[in-house]
Every structure is written in structure tokens, then in C-alpha cells.
Amino acid sequence: MTARAGHVSLENVTKIFARADLNSTLVALEGVSMEIRPAEFVSIVGTSGCGKSTLLRIIAGLETATFGRAYCDGELIAGTNPKRGLVFQEHSLFPWLSVRENIAFGLRATGRYRSGAGLVDALISIVGLSEFADSYPHQLSGGMRQRVSLVRALVVSPDVLLLDEPLGALDSFTRMNIQDELLKLWNEHKNTMILITHDVDEAIYLSQRIYIMSPRPGRIAGEIPLRMSYPRNRSSSEFVNVRNEILRRLDFAKEEQEEYNL
Amino acid sequence: MSGKTASLSAEPISAADGRSLESRAPTPWELRQIEAAPKSRNRIAADRATCALPLVLAAAVLAQYKLTPNLNDAATTDVYTCFILLLASAVLVKFVMSFFSKKTFEKLLEKAPLYTAAFLFFALYDYATIKTGILPLPYFPWPDRILNGIYEDRALLLDCIKNSLILLFSGYFAGAAIGLLTGLSAGLSRRVRYWVLPLIQILGPIPSTTWLPIILIVAASLFGGSVFLIALGVWYPVTMTSMQGVLNIPKANFEAARILGAGKARLLFRVALPAAMPNIFQGLTQGMSVACTALMVAEMMGVESGLGWYINWQRGWAEFAKMYGAVIVICVTFSVVNFLLSLVKRRVLRWQEGYWN
Ligand SMILES: Nc1ncnc2c1ncn2[C@@H]1O[C@H](COP(=O)(O)OP(=O)(O)OP(=O)(O)O)[C@@H](O)[C@H]1O
Ligand SMILES: [Mg+2]
């Protein structure tokens, strides 16, 4: 892994969707600019429907920005690249492959299966799914599927890992365990992490910077740098203060949306 | 998994004895047993009787065949006796085993009414033909005659089966392969779809056998022409279903594969193909029945070998027993082919929900 890879930069990105049924368009993102340094861990929080997934899909190369540009390591993002991994919000495992084969898919696709086969099993056991390595996705619970999706993206060790609410379906205990695993993996690989989450505590616990988005159209409403050292204490006064600040700002963003609608 | 199943027969789990479950998880079959309502003593006795019923009927068939006088003192052989005995002893083996294995018992119980009906059919058919002549000769030969017909022509029939299967599979695989190619690429690419759809809409509704008279004249070889005919019949359903299958694949599957670095070939063969497999197998099954029809028509009308030719040839000699025999052989052959296809399907689609039960 090259130390300096994983720089993501968005310049005034606007995304407009066509709404086929209504013969109208919808501005999902407007003038979003971001600068994310290599090996940085940032989170994006915002109310539902404010364009977080759209933003991530643009960085992944699954959508193209209507206006503005998105760059990764100085190159204009056009199309997908295994250097930018994505953990989907909804479960997108391949139903015809077993857990192990789902995870190995990326290694096979990039011709690294031989060297990485051991890693597959190691990661499966880290997320506690050793017993289910040969099961098919429909035999797993929602949370188990999320863990498999996470590992499937991790195993190819992308420079940028885009996480779209990857722990949403997990119980709080498993969630905390996997958060710690994420931090550990991030420390080892020093890749760039961009995490979308509804869980403000999760954002504070994990990230070095938090973007707050406001809805309709989706914009960056604010940015909160976090300088606490890892591992973070969820009940420290600093943690609680940041949480209150974010909740206040999200609330504010909601009011703004209501005004906008009027 | 197989290791667990092996240890299971050694220490069967009963519904009452839930404690032995603590050491290991039950197999799916055991699970059904545990969750099913327990049977009363009378019910079990009735079930045993049901299992024995086919044997009683088999005995009745044999008794009628051997002991009651034939119409016009027609001569019979023991081929039919052997046939009935063979069927009956297969049931008998299962019946004996059912006292030791609950699984066999359940299976036999499920199938026993069907077996009974089959033997009943034999008894009634014998009665209506050889015993009373209600169904007259030569149109309704009795089973003993049919079996003797098959036995007499066994070498020729085997050769016919071989030739039919060669023709069937040549056409089937050609049609399925081309159908997969057109269907998958039409599903993946809008431009291919643009050209393939009208082709399907025009050719699709024409039964492939319609082309036979033209093919008989135009084709350089009858075999080649028949392969083409069968392939055409298979091509249509396989193209339709594989295209629909690809169009039904959730976009997220393709996106996830692209994110992980899959190129065009991998998207086609490792994503589109397996994801569309449930649909494709519908087309393959449908295609098989179309192929069998086309095979019979081709053999009856032109090709000078195979089961379709045989039955037509025997018609020329008014050998009704052999024609019935051919029908039976055709039925068995196609059943085996369809069974093999369903085995492949089970194996390939084992990832699907509900395939374990
Ligand atoms: N392919 C699409 N076509 C049309 N509209 C879309 C499309 N994708 C997203 N949108 C719209 O863009 C807006 C933002 O969607 P997005 O999925 O990015 O929200 P989100 O912030 O991820 O929400 P959530 O937190 O609920 O996942 C929504 O109003 C949605 O209706
Ligand atoms: Mg989303």
C-alpha cells in the first residue's frame, strides 16, 4: 500500500436525477465540495434522503456528477475502480455464491486469489462468521449479511473505503466490536475511510472529521474536526459535547429544510 | 455435512426424546419429524396397511393372470409374470426396510397409493384385454405381448435409443448454447436487444416443426437438418428466458461486481449467467420438451433411425404390440433425460432459497 494514495477531492459537485414517472428532475446534491486526505477517517451524517448515498456513489464511480468534478489521487473519477471499495447500504451480496466465495470475488476479479486466500478466512473469523463460511446469503441474518459485505470490500484492501451505513442492522454490542475492528484495520492499512452513518456516536467514535449534510438539495452544512485520541471514551465530556453540538446542528438543518419547503 | 448424516441413523432422534438434541443439531429431515404432530397407534397401523396395499394388488394381478382362463385360450409367456414380480419385489424390499428406517417408511407411505393404482391398472387392463376382450385385438394388445415385443426387438430398440439420443442432444446443446449467447447478450446490451427482439417476435410463435418440410428438401443431410430443427425449437425458449433472467437481475449485483474490479467477461460469466440461472433453467426445461417433440416429428417424417422411425416402421407392419412397446421405451427414455436435467438443475441452483427441502 502506497502511503500517499487515497486522496479524494470533490469540486462543486451537483447531482440532478431525472424522475421518470413525474417528468421532472430532482436536485439530490448541490455544490458539494470536499477535500479528504489520504488515510483520513471522515464521516458524513445527515437526515434520510439528503443525498449521502448519492455522494458516495459518485466517489465510487457508479454515478457521474451532473456538474462539478470528483477526483481521486488527482485523476478524474470515471467509472469504478477496485482501489475505491464500497460497502452498499442495502445488502448486495451475490446470492449464488457462498459467504467465502462472495468475499473471494474481488480477489479473483483482480487476480489476487492465490496470495489472498488465507486472508479470506482470517477476515471471516474476525467478523465471527467462521461457522457460516459455506452458507449462502439467504441463510444469513441481516446483520450477518452486512458483516459479509463489509469483509468483501475490505479483503481487496482498497485505498479508499466507502462505507454506506455498513453497521446499520447490527445490535449495539456487535456494532461496537466491529467498530473497534474497523479502527484496527484502518490503523494497519492506513487507507482512507469515508463512512456514512445515522449513528452520531459511531461517527464521533471513529472519525477524525465529520461532515454534516442538510437535505433538499443535499449540501454540506458544516464540518466538525475531532482531535480526541483513539481509542475514544464514549462517556467523556468532550465526546458528549461533540454529540450535542452535532445533534443541535442536525436539528437546525431540519428546520432549514422546513423553511425551504414553505 | 455427510458425516453428520451418517451418525444420525446410529442414534435416531425421537420427538419425545428432545434431550439427545443437546449434543448436536438435528438434520432437516429429523427437524420435520420433531415438528410434526405425533401419530396415534391406530394411525400407524393404518399407515402400515397402506404400505402393504400395493403388494396385495400385485398378488391379485398375478393370480388373475395365471389362474383365470384366457380368451380363446390365447398363449401367454412368463415375461409379464417376471415383470410384475420385479415391480412387486422392489416394493417388497422397501416394505421390509420401512420397518427399520423411518425415512423409507415415510417415503413408501407417500408413494404407496400410486403403486397401488399402477397395479390396479394392470389388473383392469389384463381383465379388459386377454381375459374378456372388451378392448379388442389388434388395437389393444395385452401387456405380455407388448413386453415380448420389446424383448424381441431389444437390439434394434437399443440402437434406436442411441440414435435418438445423439440427435436429441446434438440439437439440444446447439440450440441451448446459441440461445444462451443471444439471450445473455440481449439482456446485457440494449443494442443487441434491438436486433434480437424482432427476430424473437417473428420466429417465436412458429412451432419449429413447421420448418420440417422445407428442411427435408433444402438440408444437405437429414441429420443436419434435424439438428437444426431441434436447435431452433430449443433456441427460442432459452433465448427468451435468459434475456428475461438478465433483465431481472438487481442492478446492485452488477454494481458490486464492478466495484470489486470485475471486467466484461466476468460480468457476463460470473454475474449475469449464474444470477439468471433460475430463469435459464425454465427455458432449458421448456426447451427439452420442445426438443423431444421435434425429435419425434423429424424421425417420423424423414430420419431413418431412432425411436420415432421405429414406431412409424412398425405401423407399416401393423405390429400394434411393438408400437405400444415403442411408446413405453420413448416414455422411459425421455423421463430419464428429464430426470438427469432436473439433477443438474438441483445442483446448479442449490443456492436458491427453498432448495434444501
Ligand atoms: N437513481 C435515482 N433516481 C432518482 N432519484 C434518486 C436516485 N437515487 C437517489 N435519488 C434521490 O436522491 C435523493 C437522495 O438520495 P440518497 O439515496 O442519496 O439519500 P441518503 O442520504 O442516502 O438517504 P438514506 O439516509 O435514507 O439512505 C433522494 O431524494 C432520492 O429520492
Ligand atoms: Mg443512503
Side-chain angles (χ1 to χ4, degrees), chain B residues 189-226:
Chain B
S189 145
R190 191 183 293 268
R191 198 173 312 156
V192 177
R193 197 153 63 239
Y194 175 85
W195 293 109
V196 168
L197 264 184
L199 199 65
I200 291 177
Q201 273 155 4
I202 294 169
L203 292 181
I206 309 173
S208 69
T209 40
T210 312
W211 300 100
L212 189 69
I214 302 175
I215 288 170
L216 285 182
I217 298 166
V218 175
S221 85
L222 264 178
F223 182 82
S226 307

mmCIF file of all heavy atoms in Angstrom, chain B residues 189-226:
data_model
loop_
_atom_site.group_PDB
_atom_site.id
_atom_site.type_symbol
_atom_site.label_atom_id
_atom_site.label_comp_id
_atom_site.label_asym_id
_atom_site.label_seq_id
_atom_site.Cartn_x
_atom_site.Cartn_y
_atom_site.Cartn_z
ATOM 1 N N SER B 189 -27.053 -6.032 -23.342
ATOM 2 C CA SER B 189 -26.810 -4.898 -24.228
ATOM 3 C C SER B 189 -28.081 -4.465 -24.936
ATOM 4 O O SER B 189 -28.778 -5.267 -25.565
ATOM 5 C CB SER B 189 -25.724 -5.274 -25.249
ATOM 6 O OG SER B 189 -25.996 -4.668 -26.496
ATOM 7 N N ARG B 190 -28.363 -3.189 -24.800
ATOM 8 C CA ARG B 190 -29.556 -2.635 -25.430
ATOM 9 C C ARG B 190 -29.488 -2.790 -26.946
ATOM 10 O O ARG B 190 -30.480 -3.058 -27.613
ATOM 11 C CB ARG B 190 -29.636 -1.154 -25.057
ATOM 12 C CG ARG B 190 -30.940 -0.490 -25.398
ATOM 13 C CD ARG B 190 -30.846 0.976 -25.052
ATOM 14 N NE ARG B 190 -30.735 1.169 -23.614
ATOM 15 C CZ ARG B 190 -31.804 1.350 -22.825
ATOM 16 N NH1 ARG B 190 -32.993 1.360 -23.357
ATOM 17 N NH2 ARG B 190 -31.667 1.517 -21.534
ATOM 18 N N ARG B 191 -28.269 -2.640 -27.497
ATOM 19 C CA ARG B 191 -28.145 -2.676 -28.953
ATOM 20 C C ARG B 191 -28.426 -4.085 -29.487
ATOM 21 O O ARG B 191 -29.122 -4.248 -30.482
ATOM 22 C CB ARG B 191 -26.744 -2.225 -29.376
ATOM 23 C CG ARG B 191 -26.709 -1.840 -30.832
ATOM 24 C CD ARG B 191 -25.384 -1.221 -31.226
ATOM 25 N NE ARG B 191 -24.936 -0.182 -30.304
ATOM 26 C CZ ARG B 191 -23.664 0.171 -30.159
ATOM 27 N NH1 ARG B 191 -22.727 -0.445 -30.837
ATOM 28 N NH2 ARG B 191 -23.317 1.128 -29.325
ATOM 29 N N VAL B 192 -27.895 -5.095 -28.795
ATOM 30 C CA VAL B 192 -28.182 -6.467 -29.228
ATOM 31 C C VAL B 192 -29.678 -6.736 -29.116
ATOM 32 O O VAL B 192 -30.287 -7.337 -29.988
ATOM 33 C CB VAL B 192 -27.391 -7.486 -28.379
ATOM 34 C CG1 VAL B 192 -27.742 -8.904 -28.781
ATOM 35 C CG2 VAL B 192 -25.898 -7.242 -28.526
ATOM 36 N N ARG B 193 -30.275 -6.230 -28.032
ATOM 37 C CA ARG B 193 -31.701 -6.446 -27.813
ATOM 38 C C ARG B 193 -32.517 -5.867 -28.968
ATOM 39 O O ARG B 193 -33.501 -6.442 -29.409
ATOM 40 C CB ARG B 193 -32.107 -5.806 -26.485
ATOM 41 C CG ARG B 193 -33.421 -6.295 -25.940
ATOM 42 C CD ARG B 193 -33.481 -6.196 -24.425
ATOM 43 N NE ARG B 193 -33.398 -4.856 -23.908
ATOM 44 C CZ ARG B 193 -32.449 -4.434 -23.075
ATOM 45 N NH1 ARG B 193 -31.508 -5.250 -22.686
ATOM 46 N NH2 ARG B 193 -32.443 -3.199 -22.635
ATOM 47 N N TYR B 194 -32.068 -4.713 -29.439
ATOM 48 C CA TYR B 194 -32.749 -4.041 -30.539
ATOM 49 C C TYR B 194 -32.895 -4.972 -31.733
ATOM 50 O O TYR B 194 -33.925 -5.001 -32.400
ATOM 51 C CB TYR B 194 -31.945 -2.798 -30.918
ATOM 52 C CG TYR B 194 -32.462 -2.046 -32.120
ATOM 53 C CD1 TYR B 194 -33.463 -1.102 -31.988
ATOM 54 C CD2 TYR B 194 -31.940 -2.288 -33.388
ATOM 55 C CE1 TYR B 194 -33.937 -0.413 -33.085
ATOM 56 C CE2 TYR B 194 -32.406 -1.607 -34.491
ATOM 57 C CZ TYR B 194 -33.402 -0.665 -34.335
ATOM 58 O OH TYR B 194 -33.869 0.008 -35.426
ATOM 59 N N TRP B 195 -31.847 -5.767 -32.009
ATOM 60 C CA TRP B 195 -31.890 -6.660 -33.169
ATOM 61 C C TRP B 195 -32.502 -8.018 -32.845
ATOM 62 O O TRP B 195 -33.110 -8.644 -33.707
ATOM 63 C CB TRP B 195 -30.467 -6.860 -33.732
ATOM 64 C CG TRP B 195 -29.918 -5.605 -34.321
ATOM 65 C CD1 TRP B 195 -28.921 -4.821 -33.814
ATOM 66 C CD2 TRP B 195 -30.348 -4.955 -35.520
ATOM 67 N NE1 TRP B 195 -28.715 -3.731 -34.610
ATOM 68 C CE2 TRP B 195 -29.572 -3.788 -35.670
ATOM 69 C CE3 TRP B 195 -31.330 -5.245 -36.473
ATOM 70 C CZ2 TRP B 195 -29.734 -2.913 -36.739
ATOM 71 C CZ3 TRP B 195 -31.482 -4.366 -37.538
ATOM 72 C CH2 TRP B 195 -30.699 -3.223 -37.662
ATOM 73 N N VAL B 196 -32.319 -8.472 -31.623
ATOM 74 C CA VAL B 196 -32.777 -9.826 -31.292
ATOM 75 C C VAL B 196 -34.291 -9.871 -31.051
ATOM 76 O O VAL B 196 -34.960 -10.814 -31.455
ATOM 77 C CB VAL B 196 -32.012 -10.367 -30.058
ATOM 78 C CG1 VAL B 196 -32.669 -11.633 -29.524
ATOM 79 C CG2 VAL B 196 -30.567 -10.648 -30.423
ATOM 80 N N LEU B 197 -34.820 -8.819 -30.417
ATOM 81 C CA LEU B 197 -36.246 -8.833 -30.067
ATOM 82 C C LEU B 197 -37.171 -9.066 -31.260
ATOM 83 O O LEU B 197 -38.038 -9.932 -31.215
ATOM 84 C CB LEU B 197 -36.621 -7.541 -29.333
ATOM 85 C CG LEU B 197 -36.608 -7.631 -27.804
ATOM 86 C CD1 LEU B 197 -37.083 -6.326 -27.186
ATOM 87 C CD2 LEU B 197 -37.478 -8.780 -27.310
ATOM 88 N N PRO B 198 -37.005 -8.296 -32.364
ATOM 89 C CA PRO B 198 -37.889 -8.536 -33.511
ATOM 90 C C PRO B 198 -37.747 -9.952 -34.061
ATOM 91 O O PRO B 198 -38.740 -10.582 -34.434
ATOM 92 C CB PRO B 198 -37.433 -7.520 -34.554
ATOM 93 C CG PRO B 198 -36.473 -6.632 -33.894
ATOM 94 C CD PRO B 198 -36.079 -7.191 -32.586
ATOM 95 N N LEU B 199 -36.517 -10.446 -34.048
ATOM 96 C CA LEU B 199 -36.263 -11.803 -34.527
ATOM 97 C C LEU B 199 -37.074 -12.800 -33.708
ATOM 98 O O LEU B 199 -37.727 -13.701 -34.240
ATOM 99 C CB LEU B 199 -34.763 -12.087 -34.385
ATOM 100 C CG LEU B 199 -34.189 -13.216 -35.208
ATOM 101 C CD1 LEU B 199 -34.290 -12.892 -36.681
ATOM 102 C CD2 LEU B 199 -32.729 -13.455 -34.825
ATOM 103 N N ILE B 200 -37.042 -12.608 -32.393
ATOM 104 C CA ILE B 200 -37.790 -13.489 -31.498
ATOM 105 C C ILE B 200 -39.282 -13.356 -31.745
ATOM 106 O O ILE B 200 -40.014 -14.337 -31.801
ATOM 107 C CB ILE B 200 -37.470 -13.152 -30.022
ATOM 108 C CG1 ILE B 200 -36.046 -13.540 -29.698
ATOM 109 C CG2 ILE B 200 -38.427 -13.864 -29.098
ATOM 110 C CD1 ILE B 200 -35.656 -13.176 -28.294
ATOM 111 N N GLN B 201 -39.718 -12.113 -31.929
ATOM 112 C CA GLN B 201 -41.155 -11.901 -32.093
ATOM 113 C C GLN B 201 -41.678 -12.541 -33.373
ATOM 114 O O GLN B 201 -42.810 -12.997 -33.424
ATOM 115 C CB GLN B 201 -41.469 -10.402 -32.068
ATOM 116 C CG GLN B 201 -41.685 -9.910 -30.644
ATOM 117 C CD GLN B 201 -41.400 -8.437 -30.473
ATOM 118 O OE1 GLN B 201 -41.101 -7.742 -31.443
ATOM 119 N NE2 GLN B 201 -41.490 -7.955 -29.249
ATOM 120 N N ILE B 202 -40.829 -12.588 -34.410
ATOM 121 C CA ILE B 202 -41.271 -13.199 -35.665
ATOM 122 C C ILE B 202 -41.153 -14.718 -35.602
ATOM 123 O O ILE B 202 -42.084 -15.442 -35.925
ATOM 124 C CB ILE B 202 -40.440 -12.648 -36.842
ATOM 125 C CG1 ILE B 202 -40.742 -11.159 -37.017
ATOM 126 C CG2 ILE B 202 -40.763 -13.413 -38.116
ATOM 127 C CD1 ILE B 202 -39.793 -10.461 -37.954
ATOM 128 N N LEU B 203 -39.975 -15.197 -35.155
ATOM 129 C CA LEU B 203 -39.723 -16.643 -35.190
ATOM 130 C C LEU B 203 -40.403 -17.379 -34.039
ATOM 131 O O LEU B 203 -40.786 -18.541 -34.186
ATOM 132 C CB LEU B 203 -38.222 -16.913 -35.133
ATOM 133 C CG LEU B 203 -37.419 -16.493 -36.360
ATOM 134 C CD1 LEU B 203 -35.956 -16.853 -36.182
ATOM 135 C CD2 LEU B 203 -37.975 -17.177 -37.613
ATOM 136 N N GLY B 204 -40.552 -16.688 -32.917
ATOM 137 C CA GLY B 204 -41.028 -17.346 -31.709
ATOM 138 C C GLY B 204 -42.336 -18.108 -31.849
ATOM 139 O O GLY B 204 -42.420 -19.279 -31.493
ATOM 140 N N PRO B 205 -43.378 -17.478 -32.385
ATOM 141 C CA PRO B 205 -44.678 -18.155 -32.419
ATOM 142 C C PRO B 205 -44.752 -19.307 -33.422
ATOM 143 O O PRO B 205 -45.696 -20.088 -33.375
ATOM 144 C CB PRO B 205 -45.646 -17.035 -32.843
ATOM 145 C CG PRO B 205 -44.899 -15.767 -32.654
ATOM 146 C CD PRO B 205 -43.462 -16.085 -32.843
ATOM 147 N N ILE B 206 -43.772 -19.432 -34.326
ATOM 148 C CA ILE B 206 -43.832 -20.532 -35.300
ATOM 149 C C ILE B 206 -43.319 -21.800 -34.637
ATOM 150 O O ILE B 206 -42.164 -21.857 -34.240
ATOM 151 C CB ILE B 206 -42.947 -20.226 -36.521
ATOM 152 C CG1 ILE B 206 -43.276 -18.840 -37.080
ATOM 153 C CG2 ILE B 206 -43.102 -21.308 -37.580
ATOM 154 C CD1 ILE B 206 -42.328 -18.407 -38.174
ATOM 155 N N PRO B 207 -44.134 -22.843 -34.505
ATOM 156 C CA PRO B 207 -43.600 -24.100 -33.963
ATOM 157 C C PRO B 207 -42.463 -24.579 -34.866
ATOM 158 O O PRO B 207 -42.599 -24.549 -36.095
ATOM 159 C CB PRO B 207 -44.798 -25.056 -34.040
ATOM 160 C CG PRO B 207 -45.990 -24.190 -34.189
ATOM 161 C CD PRO B 207 -45.552 -22.953 -34.878
ATOM 162 N N SER B 208 -41.361 -25.005 -34.240
ATOM 163 C CA SER B 208 -40.179 -25.266 -35.055
ATOM 164 C C SER B 208 -40.434 -26.378 -36.068
ATOM 165 O O SER B 208 -39.828 -26.409 -37.141
ATOM 166 C CB SER B 208 -38.996 -25.616 -34.160
ATOM 167 O OG SER B 208 -39.202 -26.869 -33.569
ATOM 168 N N THR B 209 -41.371 -27.286 -35.773
ATOM 169 C CA THR B 209 -41.627 -28.399 -36.697
ATOM 170 C C THR B 209 -42.249 -27.924 -38.007
ATOM 171 O O THR B 209 -42.244 -28.650 -38.998
ATOM 172 C CB THR B 209 -42.558 -29.416 -36.028
ATOM 173 O OG1 THR B 209 -43.565 -28.725 -35.302
ATOM 174 C CG2 THR B 209 -41.796 -30.305 -35.076
ATOM 175 N N THR B 210 -42.785 -26.683 -37.987
ATOM 176 C CA THR B 210 -43.337 -26.130 -39.220
ATOM 177 C C THR B 210 -42.310 -26.125 -40.351
ATOM 178 O O THR B 210 -42.651 -26.267 -41.518
ATOM 179 C CB THR B 210 -43.811 -24.679 -38.966
ATOM 180 O OG1 THR B 210 -44.587 -24.672 -37.780
ATOM 181 C CG2 THR B 210 -44.614 -24.148 -40.131
ATOM 182 N N TRP B 211 -41.043 -25.968 -39.948
ATOM 183 C CA TRP B 211 -39.985 -25.835 -40.956
ATOM 184 C C TRP B 211 -39.625 -27.171 -41.596
ATOM 185 O O TRP B 211 -38.898 -27.201 -42.580
ATOM 186 C CB TRP B 211 -38.721 -25.249 -40.319
ATOM 187 C CG TRP B 211 -38.932 -23.896 -39.722
ATOM 188 C CD1 TRP B 211 -39.119 -23.593 -38.414
ATOM 189 C CD2 TRP B 211 -38.987 -22.652 -40.426
ATOM 190 N NE1 TRP B 211 -39.297 -22.253 -38.235
ATOM 191 C CE2 TRP B 211 -39.217 -21.650 -39.474
ATOM 192 C CE3 TRP B 211 -38.873 -22.298 -41.774
ATOM 193 C CZ2 TRP B 211 -39.327 -20.312 -39.804
ATOM 194 C CZ3 TRP B 211 -38.980 -20.955 -42.106
ATOM 195 C CH2 TRP B 211 -39.208 -19.979 -41.128
ATOM 196 N N LEU B 212 -40.108 -28.267 -41.028
ATOM 197 C CA LEU B 212 -39.628 -29.580 -41.442
ATOM 198 C C LEU B 212 -39.732 -29.838 -42.950
ATOM 199 O O LEU B 212 -38.744 -30.234 -43.577
ATOM 200 C CB LEU B 212 -40.360 -30.680 -40.660
ATOM 201 C CG LEU B 212 -39.759 -32.059 -40.890
ATOM 202 C CD1 LEU B 212 -38.390 -32.152 -40.254
ATOM 203 C CD2 LEU B 212 -40.661 -33.138 -40.346
ATOM 204 N N PRO B 213 -40.904 -29.613 -43.560
ATOM 205 C CA PRO B 213 -40.988 -29.895 -44.995
ATOM 206 C C PRO B 213 -39.924 -29.152 -45.799
ATOM 207 O O PRO B 213 -39.332 -29.702 -46.725
ATOM 208 C CB PRO B 213 -42.392 -29.395 -45.367
ATOM 209 C CG PRO B 213 -43.157 -29.431 -44.100
ATOM 210 C CD PRO B 213 -42.177 -29.126 -43.021
ATOM 211 N N ILE B 214 -39.679 -27.889 -45.431
ATOM 212 C CA ILE B 214 -38.658 -27.110 -46.139
ATOM 213 C C ILE B 214 -37.281 -27.700 -45.883
ATOM 214 O O ILE B 214 -36.478 -27.898 -46.805
ATOM 215 C CB ILE B 214 -38.706 -25.634 -45.682
ATOM 216 C CG1 ILE B 214 -40.105 -25.071 -45.945
ATOM 217 C CG2 ILE B 214 -37.630 -24.824 -46.383
ATOM 218 C CD1 ILE B 214 -40.322 -23.677 -45.424
ATOM 219 N N ILE B 215 -37.021 -28.020 -44.593
ATOM 220 C CA ILE B 215 -35.702 -28.554 -44.253
ATOM 221 C C ILE B 215 -35.441 -29.870 -44.970
ATOM 222 O O ILE B 215 -34.341 -30.120 -45.461
ATOM 223 C CB ILE B 215 -35.603 -28.730 -42.720
ATOM 224 C CG1 ILE B 215 -35.497 -27.363 -42.060
ATOM 225 C CG2 ILE B 215 -34.398 -29.590 -42.349
ATOM 226 C CD1 ILE B 215 -35.621 -27.390 -40.568
ATOM 227 N N LEU B 216 -36.473 -30.708 -45.077
ATOM 228 C CA LEU B 216 -36.310 -32.003 -45.736
ATOM 229 C C LEU B 216 -35.792 -31.818 -47.158
ATOM 230 O O LEU B 216 -35.020 -32.633 -47.665
ATOM 231 C CB LEU B 216 -37.644 -32.752 -45.771
ATOM 232 C CG LEU B 216 -38.095 -33.368 -44.452
ATOM 233 C CD1 LEU B 216 -39.397 -34.117 -44.626
ATOM 234 C CD2 LEU B 216 -37.024 -34.282 -43.891
ATOM 235 N N ILE B 217 -36.202 -30.745 -47.788
ATOM 236 C CA ILE B 217 -35.792 -30.513 -49.170
ATOM 237 C C ILE B 217 -34.456 -29.786 -49.230
ATOM 238 O O ILE B 217 -33.547 -30.165 -49.971
ATOM 239 C CB ILE B 217 -36.863 -29.689 -49.918
ATOM 240 C CG1 ILE B 217 -38.170 -30.493 -49.950
ATOM 241 C CG2 ILE B 217 -36.399 -29.346 -51.326
ATOM 242 C CD1 ILE B 217 -39.368 -29.671 -50.355
ATOM 243 N N VAL B 218 -34.326 -28.742 -48.401
ATOM 244 C CA VAL B 218 -33.172 -27.854 -48.529
ATOM 245 C C VAL B 218 -31.908 -28.439 -47.898
ATOM 246 O O VAL B 218 -30.815 -28.322 -48.459
ATOM 247 C CB VAL B 218 -33.488 -26.482 -47.896
ATOM 248 C CG1 VAL B 218 -32.257 -25.593 -47.905
ATOM 249 C CG2 VAL B 218 -34.633 -25.818 -48.649
ATOM 250 N N ALA B 219 -32.059 -29.093 -46.728
ATOM 251 C CA ALA B 219 -30.876 -29.507 -45.974
ATOM 252 C C ALA B 219 -30.030 -30.515 -46.752
ATOM 253 O O ALA B 219 -30.560 -31.409 -47.413
ATOM 254 C CB ALA B 219 -31.300 -30.109 -44.642
ATOM 255 N N ALA B 220 -28.720 -30.334 -46.649
ATOM 256 C CA ALA B 220 -27.802 -31.233 -47.353
ATOM 257 C C ALA B 220 -27.895 -32.635 -46.762
ATOM 258 O O ALA B 220 -27.932 -33.625 -47.486
ATOM 259 C CB ALA B 220 -26.381 -30.697 -47.252
ATOM 260 N N SER B 221 -27.957 -32.728 -45.436
ATOM 261 C CA SER B 221 -28.119 -34.045 -44.819
ATOM 262 C C SER B 221 -29.332 -34.011 -43.903
ATOM 263 O O SER B 221 -29.628 -32.978 -43.289
ATOM 264 C CB SER B 221 -26.874 -34.411 -44.016
ATOM 265 O OG SER B 221 -26.956 -33.857 -42.729
ATOM 266 N N LEU B 222 -30.035 -35.106 -43.830
ATOM 267 C CA LEU B 222 -31.219 -35.163 -42.992
ATOM 268 C C LEU B 222 -30.857 -34.979 -41.531
ATOM 269 O O LEU B 222 -31.573 -34.330 -40.775
ATOM 270 C CB LEU B 222 -31.905 -36.514 -43.165
ATOM 271 C CG LEU B 222 -33.046 -36.498 -44.169
ATOM 272 C CD1 LEU B 222 -33.631 -37.867 -44.312
ATOM 273 C CD2 LEU B 222 -34.109 -35.505 -43.728
ATOM 274 N N PHE B 223 -29.727 -35.568 -41.146
ATOM 275 C CA PHE B 223 -29.289 -35.438 -39.755
ATOM 276 C C PHE B 223 -29.056 -33.964 -39.431
ATOM 277 O O PHE B 223 -29.575 -33.438 -38.442
ATOM 278 C CB PHE B 223 -28.018 -36.250 -39.523
ATOM 279 C CG PHE B 223 -27.548 -36.207 -38.101
ATOM 280 C CD1 PHE B 223 -28.110 -37.039 -37.144
ATOM 281 C CD2 PHE B 223 -26.558 -35.317 -37.714
ATOM 282 C CE1 PHE B 223 -27.686 -36.999 -35.832
ATOM 283 C CE2 PHE B 223 -26.131 -35.257 -36.398
ATOM 284 C CZ PHE B 223 -26.693 -36.111 -35.457
ATOM 285 N N GLY B 224 -28.295 -33.302 -40.280
ATOM 286 C CA GLY B 224 -28.006 -31.881 -40.061
ATOM 287 C C GLY B 224 -29.287 -31.070 -40.003
ATOM 288 O O GLY B 224 -29.452 -30.210 -39.131
ATOM 289 N N GLY B 225 -30.191 -31.361 -40.908
ATOM 290 C CA GLY B 225 -31.453 -30.630 -40.929
ATOM 291 C C GLY B 225 -32.241 -30.822 -39.644
ATOM 292 O O GLY B 225 -32.796 -29.875 -39.089
ATOM 293 N N SER B 226 -32.237 -32.076 -39.149
ATOM 294 C CA SER B 226 -32.984 -32.352 -37.924
ATOM 295 C C SER B 226 -32.338 -31.683 -36.721
ATOM 296 O O SER B 226 -33.027 -31.178 -35.831
ATOM 297 C CB SER B 226 -33.066 -33.857 -37.686
ATOM 298 O OG SER B 226 -33.573 -34.480 -38.829
#
